[in-house]
Every structure is written in structure tokens, then in C-alpha cells.
């Protein structure tokens, strides 16, 4: 198990390095001049733009710039966001908390709810109940998050006035202590619901197929032939074998959850990374964009390592391929 | 006065059909089979003859939605189990009837330790406190080292997996053990070991066994009585010596000739000409007609018999011309004599 873990981590190192380099280069490929954006469209004295370019080191060869970039990263310096007048690292980490609050609960709820729905549907495959769950998950999977979000706002915030339409905290008063926590949770309900539906649908679809597949395996007959009850066979024999594809899909979607975050955070003005990402594009805030890319890419790498570790925990055959006592 | 020998399993005129994409396939048609308490019975037939369906239907393990018992009945230890619900089947499976399946890798749960898989059987049927000790005892019984308790199926060899499956079945303390092609997936040496183990265990534990195989030699060496199955029908049965010594059904005769030729390996093997029939389009009457050298007009009208073959008590055959076939052909007994 330890050998397996080390090998996964060893792979993560070079991948992160490649991400750093690509992340640096990609910004230089896109059109648009950051200095122009910084200075604005006003007429400037001759030599002024060149002077600023020099101050930021943007007139140096690209390899030197890359070296400086990596050196700065090593010191924890991700650059300075011109638009926000703040260091990138602090800003990104600050906003990442809010995105995690939204996305981690969505993925956790999806993992539990999706698997439970699948376990309920698969043994009755073809029944009305199963078809119902399949149809609902198809809808949940197909409805665009931004559309669902807006419908929810119209119904629950505007018409019914039950829940806040936007933001993460109430602006009129500033609650403290528990009141502050419940205030955030109150604001969380609608955005959380609109993303969760999507992930529940994805997990339920994959889990249903994978439970059905596991149910048709030969070892299930052996388990039944022992006289074990249906429910026991389902939970103790089918489920552990069905979980691997589910873990894959959740790990994979964690990596892509920034996409979901961009949509839902825009609709609900949720102050997370997605929101920050959209504004920084508008501002041509390159250091900030790079910081967001970097953080997301590293999050994907971490999610993959965690997924790999879960594989090994779920399937002894994966552990064995790295030596039983390694 | 000792009680009379009871039958652990009685199958009478059982007809089982599968529905698949509109077609109805008769996997078993009017099958008769009896296993006495403590008796070793063999069931032979080629692939697709309905052997495995029989093994599964006796435990209620045929897929519910596509299968249907159309006629006949199954009686296990005096209880009619023909129409049991899935929940009621749980009271039959494992004890009194346990099964060992064919392919030991796919029939073991890949993500559960062997010891745990054995313990499940123990806890289900004899929930005594010393489960760990009983697991060790069972591993020893099937001659596996104690370390296998913490091993996963993929870490064992084919023969060890088959032993593990056997331990799982024995942990239920069955009165009847069904062994569905228990040696097919193994190499010849391992086959012999598993067979010797099965025989030894059966005698020590006093349980009955239904050994299903396409290998005549294996069945002949391990079983007191034999049933021969063809295209879903039991076509001939009786004591091993009678069925293999004086076969009366043309299909049994063909099988034995083929086995004999293979053993002698002189020139071309004798074969049964033609192919096994498509079970979805069975002809009326005897299903062996298209391949039978003795076929006559009568054969296509109705399934004959069962008739008493008259050579040996209980030797029964389903062929109109059993008098001629039984007297006309003398076939030596196949390889690996009993005992």
C-alpha cells in the first residue's frame, strides 16, 4: 500500500511541473497586451509604456521570465493582481474556500444520494421505479445549471420570497456567531441545490449501470447460494464491487467542478473562484488568471491521487500489483 | 428399526423454459432425477444439454424474470420447493443444499478475503461464536494452508480457489452438495486432487453429492448412479456399472464409443455425427432423432418411455428400441474405474 501511494505521489511531481510551465506559456499565447490593459486607452508620453514593460520584466526573454516565475512560485509569490490591488495567492485561497463550500457539499451529497438511488433502482431494473429514477437523472444531467439556477431564483427568491436570490451574506445587517453561519447556509441553499442536482444525476447514472453489472457477476450467485439475504448480498457483495466506477466519476468531476462553479457562481453572485475567474478575464488580470489556473490544476492532480488511493482501498487487486507488503 | 433411506432430492417431470427476445428455449423437458441421502449421483451430458440449468434450478438460482417452471416438481428433503419465492429459497440455499460452481475465479468475490467469504456461510447457518476456529478447520478440511484466510482470490492458484469454493459450500453443512463441473477449469493433476478430495469429504461427512460433468471418466469413478442428459431430457439412468457397461440409449452408446476411442487413440475418434439441436426449435418426439442411427418414424412422434432396461434394477432408458440397442452393442467401461 505504501509503495503504491509513493508511486502515485511520484507521478504527481512531474505533472505539477508540466502544469506550471504550460500555465506560464499559455498566457503568452493569448492575444491582448496586459500593459495596454493596465495603462488604458489614454494617450501616454513616448517611452512610458516601454518603461512600465521594463519595470514588470516583460521585455526580457521568455525563458528568463519563466525562470523568474518559477522562482517566485517557490517563494509562494503568485504575483500581484492589478485589478484587485492584492497579492494573487491570498485572493485565490480566500475565494477558493467559498467554492469548496459549494462544491464539496455538492459532490458529497451526490456520492451518497447517487449511490443510494442506484442501489434502489438497479435490483428493480426495468420497473416503473427504475425507469423513473433513470428519467429523472437524465433530466438532472441535461438541464443546464445556469438555467435551473435562474428558474430557482425566480420561483423561490422572487415569487415566493423564501430564500435570498444572490450573494453569500446578508448586506443589510451583519450577523455574528451562529447567526452568521446560518445566514451563509441560508444563502447556500439555492446555488447548492442547482449544482447538486447535476452531480447526483451523473453519479446515479454511473452507479446504476455499475451496480447492475456487479449484480450479474458470478460471485453474486455464490453469495446467494450460501443462503444470504438479498439485501445482504446487495450491500456486502455487489456494492463494494460497484464502487470503483463511481469513485472514478466523482474524482473526475471534482476536477471539472470549477466549470460548474463558474456557471452557478455567476448566476447567484457567489463570491467563489468561478466568479473571480470571470471578472479576471474581463480585467485581463493575467497574474490572477494564472493563479486560478494553477490552483485548479493542482486540485485536479490532488483529486486524482486521492482517487487512486481510493481504488487501492477498494480493490485488493490494485494493491497487489504493487506488491502485497510494499 | 433404522429409518428408511430418504431422498434428499427428487425431480419429477421438470420442464424449465427461458424466454429470450421472443424465442422460448426449453432448457429442461420432463427431467427426472433422484438423489438419495448420502448417495453420489453423476449427471453427464454435453454443453447446452441443460446440466447447469438443473444445478441452478435446484437452488432457485435461475434468473427469475426470463425463466419459468412449466411442469413437474422439485422436492428437497421432503419439501416441495417448486414454487418458492426468492425469500423462501434463502431457507434452502446452503443448507440443506450447497453448490460448488465451475469457474473458481469468477465465482469468488474479488474484493473480499477468502476467510471472510467462508465465515459468511458459517454465520448464516451455524452462528456459533468460534467462527475463526471453524474457518481454520474448514481450510484444513479442504487442505488449504491457514494463511489463505486473509488472502484474496486473485492471490490463489486455480486449484486453491476451487478448494476455497468447496470450503464455502461445506461451511453451510449441506446434506446435498451439487458440484457443477468442479474440475473443468483446472489442469489434469489438480482435477485428480479435487476429485479425490470430493470423494474423501463425501464419505467423511456423509453427505450426498450430485456431480455434474461432461467427463464420463470423472463421473464413472466418483458416482454410484448416473444420469445421462441430452437436449434437456434425461435419456438414460441407472447404476454406474449398468449405464456404462450396458448402455441402452443410442446417445449414451455414442458418448461411450467416443470416450473409448479417445482413450485408445487409434486412428480417428468415433464421434456422434451431427450437432446438438437448437433448443429453441426442438423437433417433437425424441430430440436425438436427427443424429440417431436407430431412428424410425415412431421416434419423431413422441418422446418414448421411460422404460425399464431390464438388465439391472433401476436402469431406465427413454428409447423405443432399447431392446435392440442394449443387446446389439457391448461397450467396455470407460477410463478410471470406480474405486
Amino acid at each position: 500500500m505504501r509503495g503504491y501511494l509513493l508511486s502515485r505521489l511520484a507521478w504527481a511531481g512531474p505533472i505539477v511541473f508540466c502544469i506550471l510551465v504550460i500555465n506560464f506559456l499559455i498566457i503568452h499565447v493569448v492575444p491582448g497586451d496586459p500593459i495596454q490593459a493596465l495603462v488604458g486607452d489614454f494617450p501616454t508620453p513616448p517611452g512610458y509604456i516601454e518603461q512600465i514593460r521594463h519595470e514588470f520584466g516583460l521585455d526580457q526573454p521568455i525563458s528568463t521570465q519563466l525562470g523568474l516565475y518559477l522562482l517566485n512560485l517557490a517563494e509562494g509569490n503568485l504575483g500581484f493582481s492589478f485589478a484587485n490591488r492584492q497579492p494573487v495567492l491570498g485572493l485565490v485561497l480566500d475565494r477558493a474556500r467559498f467554492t469548496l463550500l459549494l462544491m464539496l457539499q455538492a459532490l458529497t451529497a451526490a456520492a451518497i444520494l447517487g449511490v443510494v438511488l442506484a442501489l434502489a433502482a438497479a435490483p428493480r431494473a426495468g420497473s416503473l421505479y427504475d425507469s423513473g429514477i433513470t428519467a429523472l437523472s437524465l433530466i438532472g444531467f441535461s438541464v443546464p445549471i445556469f438555467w435551473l439556477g435562474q428558474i430557482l431564483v425566480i420561483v423561490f427568491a422572487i415569487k415566493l420570497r423564501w430564500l435570498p436570490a444572490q450573494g453569500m451574506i446578508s448586506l443589510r445587517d451583519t450577523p455574528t456567531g451562529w447567526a452568521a453561519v446560518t445566514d451563509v447556509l441560508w444563502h447556500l441553499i439555492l446555488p447548492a441545490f442547482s449544482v447538486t442536482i447535476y452531480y447526483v444525476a451523473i453519479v446515479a447514472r454511473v452507479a446504476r449501470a455499475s451496480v447492475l453489472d456487479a449484480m450479474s457477476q458470478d460471485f453474486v450467485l455464490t453469495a446467494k447460494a450460501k443462503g444470504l439475504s438479498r439485501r445482504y448480498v446487495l450491500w456486502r457483495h455487489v456494492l463494494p464491487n460497484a464502487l470503483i466506477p463511481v469513485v472514478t466519476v466523482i474524482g473526475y468531476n471534482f476536477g471539472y467542478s470549477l466549470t460548474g462553479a463558474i456557471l452557478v457562481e455567476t448566476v447567484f453572485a457567489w463570491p467563489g473562484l468561478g466568479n473571480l475567474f470571470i471578472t479576471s478575464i474581463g480585467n485581463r488580470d493575467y497574474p490572477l488568471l494564472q493563479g486560478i489556473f494553477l490552483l485548479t490544476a493542482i486540485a485536479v492532480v490532488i483529486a486524482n491521487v486521492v482517487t487512486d488511493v481510493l481504488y487501492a482501498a477498494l480493490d485488493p487487486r490494485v494493491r497487489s500489483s504493487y506488491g502485497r507488503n510494499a | 428399526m433404522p429409518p428408511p433411506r430418504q431422498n434428499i432430492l427428487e425431480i419429477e417431470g421438470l420442464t424449465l423454459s427461458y424466454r429470450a427476445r421472443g424465442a422460448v428455449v426449453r432448457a429442461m423437458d420432463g427431467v427426472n432425477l433422484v438423489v438419495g441421502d448420502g448417495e453420489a449421483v453423476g449427471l453427464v451430458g454435453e454443453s447446452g444439454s441443460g446440466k447447469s440449468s438443473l444445478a441452478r434450478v435446484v437452488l432457485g438460482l435461475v434468473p427469475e424474470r426470463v425463466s419459468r417452471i412449466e411442469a413437474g416438481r422439485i422436492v428437497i428433503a421432503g419439501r416441495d420447493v417448486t414454487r418458492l419465492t426468492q425469500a423462501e429459497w434463502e431457507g434452502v440455499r446452503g443448507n440443506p443444499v450447497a453448490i460448488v460452481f465451475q469457474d473458481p475465479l469468477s465465482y469468488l468475490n474479488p474484493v473480499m478475503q477468502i476467510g471472510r467469504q467462508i465465515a459468511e456461510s458459517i454465520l448464516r447457518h451455524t452462528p456459533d461464536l468460534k467462527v475463526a476456529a471453524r474457518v481454520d478447520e474448514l481450510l484444513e478440511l479442504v487442505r488449504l494452508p491457514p494463511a489463505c484466510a486473509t488472502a484474496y482470490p486473485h492471490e490463489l492458484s486455480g486449484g486453491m480457489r476451487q478448494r476455497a469454493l468447496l470450503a464455502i459450500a461445506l461451511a453451510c453443512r449441506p446434506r446435498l452438495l451439487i458440484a457443477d463441473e468442479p474440475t473443468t477449469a483446472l489442469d489434469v493433476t489438480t482435477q485428480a486432487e479435487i476429485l479425490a478430495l470430493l470423494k474423501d469429504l463425501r464419505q467423511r461427512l456423509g453427505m450426498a453429492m450430485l456431480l455434474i460433468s461432461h467427463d464420463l471418466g470423472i463421473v464413472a469413478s466418483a458416482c454410484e448412479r448416473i444420469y445421462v442428459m441430452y437436449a434437456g431430457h434425461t435419456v438414460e439412468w441407472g447404476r454406474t456399472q449398468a449405464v456404462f457397461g450396458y448402455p441402452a440409449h443410442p446417445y449414451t452408446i455414442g458418448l461411450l464409443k467416443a470416450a473409448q476411442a479417445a482413450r485408445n487413440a487409434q486412428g480417428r475418434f468415433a464421434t456422434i455425427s451431427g450437432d446438438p439441436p437448437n433448443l429453441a426449435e426442438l423437433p417433437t418426439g425424441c430430440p436425438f432423432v436427427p443424429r440417431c442411427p436407430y431412428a424410425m418414424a415412431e421416434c419423431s412422434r413422441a418422446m418414448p418411455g421411460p422404460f425399464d432396461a431390464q438388465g439391472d434394477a433401476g436402469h431406465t432408458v427413454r428409447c423405443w428400441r432399447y431392446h435392440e440397442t442394449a443387446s446389439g452393442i457391448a461397450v467396455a467401461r470407460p477410463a478410471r474405474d470406480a474405486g
Side-chain angles (χ1 to χ4, degrees), chain B residues 67-83:
Chain B
S67 68
R68 203 162 82 88
I69 294 177
E70 294 185 355
R73 60 190 205 125
I74 308 166
V75 178
I76 290 174
R79 179 184 182 198
D80 189 329
V81 298
T82 320
R83 304 279 166 210

Side-chain angles (χ1 to χ4, degrees), chain A residues 112-320:
Chain A
I112 296 169
L113 212 62
V115 167
V116 168
L117 285 176
L119 281 177
R124 305 179 182 86
S127 71
L128 201 64
Y129 184 78
D130 173 56
S131 312
I133 287 183
T134 307
L136 278 180
S137 74
L138 186 65
I139 294 170
F141 175 72
S142 316
V143 165
I145 289 180
F146 56 87
W147 182 83
L148 179 65
Q150 283 172 324
I151 296 296
L152 289 174
V153 166
I154 291 171
V155 174
F156 291 99
I158 298 175
K159 295 267 188 227
L160 295 171
R161 295 178 174 274
W162 288 354
L163 294 162
Q166 284 203 324
M168 195 177 76
I169 45 174
S170 301
L171 297 175
R172 286 191 203 152
D173 46 13
T174 44
T176 51
W178 272 112
V181 175
T182 47
D183 184 46
V184 170
L185 290 179
W186 199 240
H187 282 81
L188 184 64
I189 292 176
L190 285 186
F193 185 77
S194 34
V195 268
T196 306
I197 288 291
Y198 174 76
Y199 289 120
V200 169
I202 290 184
V203 173
R205 281 167 67 84
V206 172
R208 178 184 171 274
S210 133
V211 167
L212 265 182
D213 180 60
M215 277 171 54
S216 70
Q217 300 287 312
D218 292 336
F219 62 80
V220 173
L221 274 188
T222 306
K224 279 189 183 169
K226 292 175 188 175
L228 300 172
S229 72
R230 254 172 185 228
R231 179 182 293 256
Y232 184 96
V233 172
L234 191 63
W235 284 90
R236 296 302 302 271
H237 288 270
V238 172
L239 181 61
N241 279 282
L243 275 181
I244 290 177
V246 176
V247 166
T248 311
V249 98
I250 293 172
Y252 173 89
N253 274 291
F254 180 83
Y256 281 86
S257 59
L258 183 70
T259 323
I262 290 172
L263 298 172
V264 76
E265 285 176 8
T266 306
V267 171
F268 291 97
W270 187 262
L273 269 190
N275 213 328
L276 190 65
F277 181 74
I278 294 295
T279 28
S280 59
I281 289 177
N283 292 338
R284 295 229 167 110
D285 194 343
Y286 288 179
L288 186 53
L289 275 177
Q290 274 182 317
I292 295 173
F293 284 158
L294 189 61
L295 191 84
T296 325
I298 288 174
V300 171
V301 172
I302 292 173
N304 281 334
V305 171
V306 171
T307 308
D308 283 344
V309 170
L310 282 176
Y311 280 166
L314 286 170
D315 193 340
R317 287 165 294 189
V318 176
R319 296 201 287 276
S320 290

Side-chain angles (χ1 to χ4, degrees), chain B:
Chain B
M1 203 177 86
R5 187 166 166 171
Q6 208 200 347
N7 287 331
I8 177 70
L9 174 66
E10 288 170 27
I11 298 176
E12 290 170 18
L14 193 69
T15 300
L16 173 79
S17 64
Y18 294 114
R19 269 163 299 136
R21 297 198 180 96
V24 175
V25 175
R26 274 215 175 141
M28 292 166 65
D29 197 342
V31 166
N32 296 303
L33 188 140
V34 172
V35 182
D37 230 351
E39 192 188 20
V41 172
L43 179 63
V44 290
E46 56 203 286
S47 316
S49 61
K51 304 181 307 253
S52 290
S53 284
L54 189 142
R56 281 164 168 72
V57 81
V58 166
L59 283 162
L61 289 174
V62 284
E64 289 167 82
R65 247 176 257 149
V66 295
S67 68
R68 203 162 82 88
I69 294 177
E70 294 185 355
R73 60 190 205 125
I74 308 166
V75 178
I76 290 174
R79 179 184 182 198
D80 189 329
V81 298
T82 320
R83 304 279 166 210
L84 291 192
T85 63
Q86 283 298 309
E88 290 168 330
W89 270 116
E90 284 162 21
V92 176
R93 293 173 185 157
N95 190 317
V97 185
I99 187 165
V100 177
F101 289 105
Q102 184 176 143
D103 174 10
L105 182 58
S106 69
Y107 281 96
L108 286 166
N109 185 339
V111 306
M112 195 187 268
Q113 291 179 350
I114 298 292
R116 176 74 210 149
Q117 300 193 41
I118 298 173
E120 274 186 341
S121 290
I122 300 169
L123 289 166
R124 167 69 182 80
H125 297 282
T126 45
D128 50 53
L129 292 172
K130 289 166 276 177
V131 176
R134 177 87 176 120
V135 168
D136 286 344
E137 198 182 309
L138 280 158
L139 286 174
E140 201 191 318
L141 196 63
V142 298
R143 288 165 214 157
L144 279 176
C148 285
T150 55
Y152 289 95
H154 70 276
E155 296 168 322
L156 305 181
S157 70
M160 290 167 98
R161 285 177 202 140
Q162 193 55 268
R163 285 162 199 270
L165 268 183
L166 191 55
I168 289 172
L170 294 176
C172 307
R173 296 179 190 265
R175 279 172 65 195
L176 169 64
L177 180 71
I178 299 175
D180 185 7
E181 304 265 9
T183 58
T184 308
L186 307 174
D187 64 67
V188 180
T189 336
T190 323
Q191 274 187 11
E193 284 170 21
I194 294 287
L195 280 175
L197 180 64
L198 272 175
K199 257 200 258 186
D200 176 48
L201 286 174
R202 200 182 70 73
Q203 273 154 16
R204 264 207 278 170
L205 306 175
M207 62 184 179
M209 178 171 75
L210 177 60
L211 178 61
I212 298 172
S213 180
H214 64 269
D215 187 325
L216 302 178
I218 285 174
V219 173
S221 72
C223 300
E224 300 156 47
R225 286 196 308 120
I226 305 274
Y227 286 79
V228 180
M229 225 173 152
Y230 182 77
H233 297 261
T234 34
V235 292
E236 182 170 8
W237 59 94
R239 292 200 305 146
T240 308
Q241 296 96 312
V243 174
F244 284 173
Y246 307 96
H249 195 282
Y251 176 65
T252 318
I253 294 167
L255 272 186
L256 288 167
K257 274 186 173 168
Q260 205 175 6
R263 185 166 42 123
N264 297 339
Q266 288 163 343
R268 285 173 59 91
F269 290 168
T271 54
I272 302 175
S273 60
D275 297 307
N278 179 352
L279 293 177
E281 294 158 11
L282 274 186
T284 52
C286 175
F288 195 56
V289 165
R291 304 170 75 184
C292 184
Y294 298 90
M296 51 185 195
E298 186 69 15
C299 298
S300 298
R301 255 170 249 141
M303 184 69 192
F307 304 117
D308 184 350
Q310 292 176 350
D312 188 66
H315 187 182
T316 311
V317 60
R318 302 196 67 173
C319 178
W320 294 117
R321 301 181 69 175
Y322 68 94
H323 283 292
E324 302 157 59
T325 55
S327 56
I329 296 162
V331 180
R333 297 179 56 194
R336 280 187 252 181
D337 285 2

